[in-house]
C-alpha cells in the first residue's frame, strides 16, 4: 500500500458544526482521499491523501461550497535545467510536494509558475525539494542578483566553450586527416580527456541526477553517447589484439566524443543567448523604473531617495527627462508625459492638476510635483510585469502534447540506438560491430528533445512580450493561441466604442414644484452609483445640489438605481425600468425624446412611484479609433456585434456610425451572457470586449475576454487580454499577433519533428545500403546543437515583424 500524504487546511473562523459535517461528507467523496476530519475548535480540515494532486480537487470543492481558501501563486526562477525534459522532471518534483496545487515549468523562460497553499508549504520547502532532485529554485526577490547569477553562468559557459574548442580543433584535424600518424591515438586520447570529463562534466553530473530520480533527459543521451565512445576508444587503443584475433580492426572515436561535446556546448551557449533575447521584454519593463527619486520635504528642500523607501503620501518631484518613479497624482505644475512604454501610444499626454501619472513613464520638458498613491508591487508597471511573467510561464494547449512526447522521447531514442546496433551487428558483415557502434553513438547524439521543448514556449515568450510593448497585456498562453480563431467580436458600447466620458447635454424637468429637493435627490442617489452615466449627472449637478446623507440606496441590476427617503421611493434608470413600474410617459417628454435620439444621445429617467420628474440627455462621444477598428476586423472576416443597455435608437445610431453588423439594445448582464452562449452554440469563436462590472459574466463566458485599460478591476481580473490604452484598434493587432505567433509555433514544431524524423533514421544508417553514407557522430552533434538554436532564432523573428 502506498504511503499516505497528510495535510492540514485552515478553515474560516465562522465555521459551524453543521458545516463541518457537510465538508467531511463532501471531501470523503473525492478520489484519492483516504479520510477527512474537521477539527472544529481549531477550524482545521485534516486530510489523508493517496496522491498529492488530490489536494487541488479538495480546494476546488471547498471553494465551490463557498469557503475562502488562501492560495498563493508565484513565478520562481528554476536553475540547472539543461533541456525540455528537465522542465517535466521539475514539474513532477514540485507536484509531489504537499500543499502544491498546480505547477507549470517553462524551459524557455527557465521559470516555474507554482500555485500553492501558503499555510501548508513555504518557498523554502519548494527550494529544498527541487534541490534534492538535482536542480535549484531561486526564492529571493532580488532581480539584480538573479541577473548577475545568470550572467556569471553565461560567462562560465563561454569559458568552457572556448576551452573545449581549443582542444577540439586539433582533435578534429588529427581525427580526420592524420589518424595514422605516430602516437595519433594517444594524442587524441590526451586531447579528448579534458573535453569529456572537465568541459563535459555537466552532462555526466546531470545524467547521474536523472538516473537517481529514475528519469532521463538530454544529458542522458550526451553522457551515454560520448561516455561509451570514449570508453570504447580507450579499450580499443589499449587492447588492439582483442579485435585483431577476431579478424577485425578496433577503431577509436576520441574525435567523435570530444567534438560532439564541443558542438553541444556551442549550441547551448547560442541557445542561452537567444533565450535571453526572447525574454528581453520583461527586462525592458523592469528597466523602466528608476532606482532613485527626488522627494519634496516639508520645508521645500529636495532629497534624492531610494525608490524602495517611498511610501504612499510622499510628495515627489518629476524633472524634465526623468522617469516617473511611482503611480501618483499631479498636485503642482504641468508637463507632457510619454506613456508609450506602457500604453503603446506614441503621442505624449498632457498632465496637469489632479491628473494621474504612472511609474516608468517619461516626463518631457516641464516639471511637476506629484503625490505617491501606489508604490512597489502595487503600481501599474509592477502589475504589468507580473502579468507578463505569469503569461510567459503559462503553457499553451499544444505544449501539453509536446511535453508528453518529450517525456518518452529519451527512452525511445535509446531503444532505437540499441536496435540499430543489434541490426548492424547481426547483418552488417565484417564491419558490422564497428558500423553498429557508430550508428548507436550517432543516434544518441543526433536526437534532440530540446528543439521540441523550445518550439512553443520561445514563440509564446516573444509574442506575449511584443504584445506588452504594444500596450496589449495577454494573461496566458492559451489566449494567444486561441485569438487567431476568432470570427465574432462582441463590443459593449459605453467606454468601449465610446470614450466613456459622458456629459449631460440637457435636463428636462417635467415636475418643477420641488426642483431644489429633486435636484439634490438626483445628485445624492447617483453619488452611490458606479455607472459612467451617473458620474456625468453628478458632475452636472454638483454646483447646484446638496448631498442628502440619510437615503437608502439599492441597485437594480441592468436597469437603474433606487433611492428611499422615508416613505418615498425614487428611481433613476432606463425606460425598461419605468415601464416595469407602469409609469406613463407625458406627451411633452415624447417630443423632447425624439429630438435627443436624432443626436444619438442617451436618455435617463428620474421618477417616483407615480410620475416622471425629469429626463436627462447624456452624450458620450464615439472614439476616433472605433470606426477604423471595426473596419480592420471586417477586413479580417470577423463579424462585430454590439450589446448595450442603452435605448434602441441611441444604440442603432452609434452602430450605424461605426458600421457594426449586429446590434442588441436594452440588454441585461445575463442577456449578454446568454447571447455569447447562443453564438458559441452556432459555432462562433467569440471575443467579448467590455470595461464594466456588468460585463464580467459575459467576459468569463467568451472564448477570449478583452478588457479596456480604464475599466473596472473586476473586468480586468476576469479578462484574458487587457488593452492598456483603451484603443479599439489594438484588438485587430492582438488577433494579428496571435496569428503570427501560432504560425511561428507551427513552423517550429514542424522543423523540430522533421529534424528528428529524418535525422534519427539517417544516424541509424538507413542510407548506407543505398549510397554507402554513414553519418559521423561529430557532425550529428553539430546538427543537434543547431536544431535548438534554429528554433529559438525562428521565434526571435517575431520581434522584427510589424503588427501595426
Amino acid at each position: 500500500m502506498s504511503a499516505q500524504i497528510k495535510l492540514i487546511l485552515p478553515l474560516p473562523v465562522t465555521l459551524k458544526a453543521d458545516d463541518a459535517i457537510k465538508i467531511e461528507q463532501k471531501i470523503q467523496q473525492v478520489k484519492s482521499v483516504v479520510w477527512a476530519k474537521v477539527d472544529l475548535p481549531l477550524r482545521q480540515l485534516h486530510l489523508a491523501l493517496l496522491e498529492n494532486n488530490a489536494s487541488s480537487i479538495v480546494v476546488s470543492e471547498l471553494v465551490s461550497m463557498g469557503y475562502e481558501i488562501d492560495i498563493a501563486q508565484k513565478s520562481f526562477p528554476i536553475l540547472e535545467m539543461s533541456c525540455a525534459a528537465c522542465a517535466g522532471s521539475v514539474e513532477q518534483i514540485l507536484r509531489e510536494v504537499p500543499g502544491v496545487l498546480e505547477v507549470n515549468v517553462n524551459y524557455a523562460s527557465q521559470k516555474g509558475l507554482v500555485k500553492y497553499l501558503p499555510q501548508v508549504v513555504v518557498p523554502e520547502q519548494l527550494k529544498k525539494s527541487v534541490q534534492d532532485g538535482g536542480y535549484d529554485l531561486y526564492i529571493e526577490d532580488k532581480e539584480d542578483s538573479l541577473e548577475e547569477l545568470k550572467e556569471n553562468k553565461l560567462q562560465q559557459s563561454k569559458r568552457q566553450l572556448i576551452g573545449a574548442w581549443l582542444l577540439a580543433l586539433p582533435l578534429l584535424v588529427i581525427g580526420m586527416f592524420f589518424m595514422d600518424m605516430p602516437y595519433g591515438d594517444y594524442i587524441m586520447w590526451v586531447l579528448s580527456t579534458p573535453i569529456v570529463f572537465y568541459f563535459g562534466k555537466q552532462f555526466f553530473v546531470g545524467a547521474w541526477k536523472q538516473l537517481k530520480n529514475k528519469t532521463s533527459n538530454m544529458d542522458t543521451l550526451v553522457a551515454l553517447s560520448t561516455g561509451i565512445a570514449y570508453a570504447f576508444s580507450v579499450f580499443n587503443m589499449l587492447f588492439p589484439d582483442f579485435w585483431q584475433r577476431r579478424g577485425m580492426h578496433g577503431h577509436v572515436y576520441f574525435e567523435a566524443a570530444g567534438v560532439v561535446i564541443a558542438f553541444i556546448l556551442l549550441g547551448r551557449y547560442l541557445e542561452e543567448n537567444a533565450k535571453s533575447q526572447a525574454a528581453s521584454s520583461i527586462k525592458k519593463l523592469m528597466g523602466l523604473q528608476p532606482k532613485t527619486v527626488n522627494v519634496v520635504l516639508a520645508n521645500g528642500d529636495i532629497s534624492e531617495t531610494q525608490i524602495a523607501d517611498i511610501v504612499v503620501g510622499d510628495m515627489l518631484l518629476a524633472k524634465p527627462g526623468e522617469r516617473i518613479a511611482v503611480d501618483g497624482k499631479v498636485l503642482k505644475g504641468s508637463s507632457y508625459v510619454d506613456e508609450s512604454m506602457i500604453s503603446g501610444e506614441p503621442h505624449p499626454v498632457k498632465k496637469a492638476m489632479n491628473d494621474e501619472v504612472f511609474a516608468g513613464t517619461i516626463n518631457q520638458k516641464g516639471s511637476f510635483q506629484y503625490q505617491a498613491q501606489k508604490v512597489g508591487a502595487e503600481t501599474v508597471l509592477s502589475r504589468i510585469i507580473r502579468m507578463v511573467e505569469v503569461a510567459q510561464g503559462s503553457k499553451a494547449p499544444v505544449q501539453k502534447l509536446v511535453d508528453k512526447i518529450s517525456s518518452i522521447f529519451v527512452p525511445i531514442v535509446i531503444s532505437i540506438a540499441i536496435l540499430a546496433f543489434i541490426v548492424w551487428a547481426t547483418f552488417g558483415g565484417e564491419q558490422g560491430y564497428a558500423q553498429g557502434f557508430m550508428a548507436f553513438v550517432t543516434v544518441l547524439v543526433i536526437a534532440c528533445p530540446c528543439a521540441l521543448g523550445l518550439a512553443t514556449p520561445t514563440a509564446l515568450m516573444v509574442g506575449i512580450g511584443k504584445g506588452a510593448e504594444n500596450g496589449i497585456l495577454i494573461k496566458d498562453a492559451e489566449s494567444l493561441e486561441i485569438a487567431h480563431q476568432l470570427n465574432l467580436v462582441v463590443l459593449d458600447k459605453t467606454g468601449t466604442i465610446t470614450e466613456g466620458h459622458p456629459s449631460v447635454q440637457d435636463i428636462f424637468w417635467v415636475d418643477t414644484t420641488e426642483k431644489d429637493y429633486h435636484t439634490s435627490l438626483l445628485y445624492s442617489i447617483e453619488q452611490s452609483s458606479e455607472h459612467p452615466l451617473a458620474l456625468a449627472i453628478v458632475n452636472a449637478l454638483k454646483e447646484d445640489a446638496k448631498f442628502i446623507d440619510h437615503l437608502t440606496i439599492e441597485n437594480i441590476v441592468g436597469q437603474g438605481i433606487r433611492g428611499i427617503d422615508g416613505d418615498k421611493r425614487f428611481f433613476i434608470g432606463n425606460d425598461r425600468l419605468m415601464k416595469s413600474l407602469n409609469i406613463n410617459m407625458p406627451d411633452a417628454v415624447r417630443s423632447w425624446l425624439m429630438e435627443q435620439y436624432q443626436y444619438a444621445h442617451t436618455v435617463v429617467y428620474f421618477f417616483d412611484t407615480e410620475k416622471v420628474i425629469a429626463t436627462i440627455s447624456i452624450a458620450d462621444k464615439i472614439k476616433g479609433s472605433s470606426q477604423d477598428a471595426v473596419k480592420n476586423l471586417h477586413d479580417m472576416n470577423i463579424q462585430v456585434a454590439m450589446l448595450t443597455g442603452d435605448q434602441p435608437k441611441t444604440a442603432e445610431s452609434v452602430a450605424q456610425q461605426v458600421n457594426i453588423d449586429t446590434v442588441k439594445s436594452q440588454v441585461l448582464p445575463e442577456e449578454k451572457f446568454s447571447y455569447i452562449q447562443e453564438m458559441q452554440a452556432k459555432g462562433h469563436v467569440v471575443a467579448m470586449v467590455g470595461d464594466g462590472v456588468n460585463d464580467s459574466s459575459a467576459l468569463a463566458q467568451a472564448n477570449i475576454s478583452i478588457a479596456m485599460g480604464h475599466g473596472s478591476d473586476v473586468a480586468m481580473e476576469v479578462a484574458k487580454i487587457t488593452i492598456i490604452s483603451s484603443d479599439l484598434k489594438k484588438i485587430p493587432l492582438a488577433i494579428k499577433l496571435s496569428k503570427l505567433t501560432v504560425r511561428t509555433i507551427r513552423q517550429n514544431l514542424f522543423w523540430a519533428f522533421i529534424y528528428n524524423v529524418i535525422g534519427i533514421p539517417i544516424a541509424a544508417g538507413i542510407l548506407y545500403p543505398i549510397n554507402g553514407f554513414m553519418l559521423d557522430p561529430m557532425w550529428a552533434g553539430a546538427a543537434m546543437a543547431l536544431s535548438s538554436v534554429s528554433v529559438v532564432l525562428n521565434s526571435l523573428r517575431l520581434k522584427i515583424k510589424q503588427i501595426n
Side-chain angles (χ1 to χ4, degrees), residues 74-78 81 90-91 94 103-106 109-115 137 393:
K74 190 171 181 181
S75 179
F76 296 99
I78 308 291
M81 289 196 300
V90 176
E91 277 189 1
L94 287 170
V103 185
N104 273 320
V105 176
N106 188 318
S109 65
Q110 299 281 295
K111 288 188 176 181
L113 184 63
V114 186
K115 193 179 285 187
L137 183 143

Side-chain angles (χ1 to χ4, degrees), residues 740-757:
L740 289 172
T741 305
V742 169
R743 187 186 306 160
T744 303
I745 289 171
R746 288 172 178 169
Q747 290 169 351
N748 288 348
L749 288 174
F750 173 78
W751 289 114
F753 276 111
I754 285 296
Y755 164 81
N756 283 292
V757 167

Side-chain angles (χ1 to χ4, degrees), residues 164-165 167-179 184-185 187-193 195-196 226 229-230 233 251-263 438 441 445 776-779 781:
W165 274 104
L167 297 173
L169 285 173
L171 181 63
L172 179 62
V173 171
I174 295 172
M176 292 186 68
F177 303 109
F178 303 103
M179 281 200 68
D185 289 354
I187 294 171
M188 286 192 291
W189 183 23
V190 171
L191 290 171
S192 64
T193 300
I195 299 177
V196 173
T226 57
Y230 179 88
S233 300
H251 296 279
V252 295
Y253 300 95
F254 289 122
E255 81 283 3
V259 175
V260 161
I261 284 178
F263 269 125
M438 181 176 281
V441 171
V445 169
D776 192 289
M778 60 185 175
W779 300 123

Side-chain angles (χ1 to χ4, degrees), residues 81-84 87 105-110 271-272 275 450 453-454 457:
M81 289 196 300
S82 59
C83 77
V105 176
N106 188 318
Y107 171 58
S109 65
Q110 299 281 295
E271 181 188 311
E272 286 302 319
K275 284 194 298 185
C450 293
L454 289 166

Side-chain angles (χ1 to χ4, degrees), residues 417-462:
I418 294 170
L419 179 63
F421 175 78
I422 293 170
V423 170
W424 273 105
T426 305
F427 304 105
E430 290 184 4
Q431 295 298 317
Y433 278 98
Q435 300 284 43
F437 180 76
M438 181 176 281
F440 173 82
V441 171
T442 308
V443 168
L444 292 179
V445 169
I446 202 168
C448 186
C450 293
L452 278 174
L454 289 166
T456 301
T458 51
L460 288 169
M461 283 173 65
V462 176

